[in-house]
Amino acid sequence: MKCLAIADLFIDKQMMEEGLISLKELGIDITVKEWKHKDLEALQKDNIKLEYEGSEAIALPSELTDGLENYDIIITQFAPIGKAVIDQCKNLKLLGVLRAGIENVNREYAESKGITVLNTPGRSTTSVSEFAVGMILSEIRNIARANYKLRNGVWEKHYPNGVLAPELKGSTVGLIGYGAIGRRVAELLRPFGSEILFFDDYYQGDTPDTKVETLEELVKEADIISMHYRLTEQTKNMINKEHFSMMKNNAVLINTARSGLVNEQDLAEALSEKKIAGAAVDVYNVEPLPSDHPYNGLDNITITPHIAGSTIGNFANSPIILSERIIEALELTVH
């Protein structure tokens, strides 16, 4: 059985080879090739295009498509696997995606051809949940902007949210999305003494947190709102001008999930007009963030360059997690 693993600048060739060693030990012949980009920003630009436009938006270069008919398994993180690639893969039995989202793979077409598609749900749970909590603390306690002021020679104690900052203890945190990351954020916040509400159309199960039935109820009650939904046609702009008008004046919005969940222009206006107290954002419609973007002119937003998931654990563990899923799917055993 032959496997093509497509590395990139986040999961490089060495990381891929080390992470897939359990497959190699089972006799699978693994070839690692690289989807090459000049830098991380170029890779991220292609990734965003695929997330918005789907697996057919970008074609694989010829060095990656040569000999595809020889492989039984293809493993990718960001490299696109569209119809043309799938049609070329005459022996393909399994497609593995080293991430939770599979926007870069034409899953429906692959499965129509009898190809199993696996992803790695939960791989970013630790990295993104920890970052989200960090963004909450940075925004409500003015950590980033105080650092900036002091480094520029300004001893400042008064910020857009006032002289006395709020605490997580006693604050109501509203989580929009209660999947693996949302639930982990809740677990991290409970020891602070926060009251946690969540909105999620799909979650069923027991929880110590309070589920609300409507998005409107959550945005009206929460002091801190954190986004953790998947981006789909139905969830695009799910937070917009209408919702900002319902929020408390002291509300803070955190988005470490997908930019399209929140209408950027509406958020910028809500911050500019002080309809809400602040925001912390790690994801954007256009990346890198343009210098003339309205966020850059606001003093009540913390912005970071899409780094929530950028941890060693996140990327290095992904091939290991996927290997376990592949072994289970193929029912391989060591002889």
Side-chain angles (χ1 to χ4, degrees), residues 206-220:
D206 296 329
T207 170
D209 305 316
T210 302
K211 183 177 181 179
V212 297
E213 295 304 316
T214 66
L215 187 57
E216 289 72 23
E217 182 181 352
L218 183 141
V219 300
K220 287 177 182 178

Side-chain angles (χ1 to χ4, degrees), residues 86-267:
I86 292 167
D87 285 339
Q88 190 178 340
C89 297
K90 304 302 182 183
N91 296 318
L92 192 61
K93 300 174 182 65
L94 189 146
L95 266 170
V97 188
L98 294 163
R99 53 205 292 252
I102 56 171
E103 295 90 349
N104 57 312
V105 170
N106 194 324
R107 181 175 194 165
E108 184 176 342
Y109 189 69
E111 291 180 341
S112 75
K113 299 286 186 179
I115 299 165
T116 300
V117 180
L118 301 176
N119 62 343
T120 51
R123 77 149 191 178
S124 300
T125 299
T126 297
S127 57
V128 177
S129 61
E130 289 180 354
F131 193 87
V133 174
M135 289 286 262
I136 291 171
L137 288 167
S138 183
E139 179 56 31
I140 69 172
R141 298 302 305 275
N142 305 299
I143 295 169
R145 57 180 64 98
N147 173 72
Y148 176 81
K149 289 280 189 180
L150 196 53
R151 285 182 177 275
N152 285 275
V154 180
W155 186 267
E156 180 65 75
K157 294 187 181 240
H158 188 283
Y159 295 98
N161 58 354
V163 177
L164 300 177
E167 297 173 338
L168 275 173
K169 183 178 182 180
S171 293
T172 299
V173 178
L175 304 175
I176 298 177
Y178 202 67
I181 294 174
R183 293 196 302 275
R184 182 58 182 153
V185 170
E187 290 172 1
L188 293 172
L189 290 176
R190 281 185 215 120
F192 283 93
S194 304
E195 178 187 357
I196 299 170
L197 311 178
F198 71 93
F199 169 79
D200 192 314
D201 284 326
Y202 307 101
Y203 181 77
Q204 300 290 331
D206 296 329
T207 170
D209 305 316
T210 302
K211 183 177 181 179
V212 297
E213 295 304 316
T214 66
L215 187 57
E216 289 72 23
E217 182 181 352
L218 183 141
V219 300
K220 287 177 182 178
E221 294 188 24
D223 302 300
I224 299 161
I225 299 162
S226 190
M227 307 299 302
H228 301 290
Y229 243 65
R230 294 294 304 168
L231 179 61
T232 66
E233 283 301 316
Q234 290 71 40
T235 61
K236 188 175 182 180
N237 291 325
M238 68 184 298
I239 296 295
N240 53 53
K241 187 186 296 282
E242 177 184 353
H243 301 93
F244 292 121
S245 68
M246 300 178 187
M247 293 180 189
K248 298 177 181 180
N249 290 336
N250 68 311
V252 169
L253 177 77
I254 313 296
N255 190 6
T256 56
R258 291 288 186 268
S259 61
L261 296 171
V262 178
N263 185 293
E264 284 190 343
Q265 187 59 43
D266 290 354
L267 173 58

